[in-house]
Structure formats: structure tokens, C-alpha cells
Amino acid sequence: RSRPFYEGLEYPELLPAYANLLVDADDNLWIQEYPDPSNDRALRWWIYSPDGALLTQVVTPPGFEAFDIGSDYILGVHHDEL
């Protein structure tokens, strides 16, 4: 029932630069790109060291919500149609 409502929404021309900021167990800053409004593509995270150096990028599946990041894991929930 709500599909026509959401399809009729007008999205802004510009989106925010990022959607989420997290700090992992090693004090690295994780910056999540802002998701596409359709939420149908993978999300990219940029990981920066405490001194501001870019360490790497990580891609998570669409619908994944991260809650905790350790030195060798990402804990979260993957939301799908079920």
C-alpha cells in the first residue's frame, strides 16, 4: 500500500557526504558513504587510522547495518525482504 507514496517522493539533488561514523577496537575511524535512496547497492566504508591516514576501503552488502567493529570482525544485521 505504501509503495505509491514512496515512489512519488522527490529526493534532494544533493545527498549527505556520509551516513555513519564508527570507531573500531583499534581506534580507527570508519566512515560509511551515504546509501542510495533505493538501497539496492553495496555500501562503501573508508577506514582511517588515528593519525588520519587512509588505511583501506571495505564494501558491505546492501541492507547491512554495522553495530560493532573489532580488529578482525564486523558485527551487524543484514536486513532483507524477510
Side-chain angles (χ1 to χ4, degrees), residues 41-52:
R41 67 180 172 92
L43 296 176
R44 184 173 312 279
W45 293 79
W46 292 274
I47 297 95
Y48 291 89
S49 68
D51 65 359

Side-chain angles (χ1 to χ4, degrees), residues 15-50:
L15 297 174
Y18 56 87
N20 202 356
L21 299 173
L22 295 174
V23 176
D24 67 17
D26 297 325
D27 289 330
N28 298 314
L29 176 64
W30 289 55
I31 301 174
Q32 180 188 28
E33 72 179 338
Y34 196 81
D36 186 303
S38 66
N39 198 26
D40 64 353
R41 67 180 172 92
L43 296 176
R44 184 173 312 279
W45 293 79
W46 292 274
I47 297 95
Y48 291 89
S49 68

Side-chain angles (χ1 to χ4, degrees), residues 2-82:
S2 60
R3 185 178 189 127
F5 170 77
Y6 288 108
E7 287 177 343
L9 289 177
E10 292 184 27
Y11 291 98
E13 291 182 28
L14 301 174
L15 297 174
Y18 56 87
N20 202 356
L21 299 173
L22 295 174
V23 176
D24 67 17
D26 297 325
D27 289 330
N28 298 314
L29 176 64
W30 289 55
I31 301 174
Q32 180 188 28
E33 72 179 338
Y34 196 81
D36 186 303
S38 66
N39 198 26
D40 64 353
R41 67 180 172 92
L43 296 176
R44 184 173 312 279
W45 293 79
W46 292 274
I47 297 95
Y48 291 89
S49 68
D51 65 359
L54 178 63
L55 298 174
T56 190
Q57 294 179 13
V58 173
V59 176
T60 57
F64 181 78
E65 183 180 359
F67 294 119
D68 186 32
I69 302 172
S71 57
D72 62 350
Y73 69 89
I74 301 175
L75 177 65
V77 174
H78 181 259
H79 299 279
D80 60 17
E81 64 277 355
L82 298 177

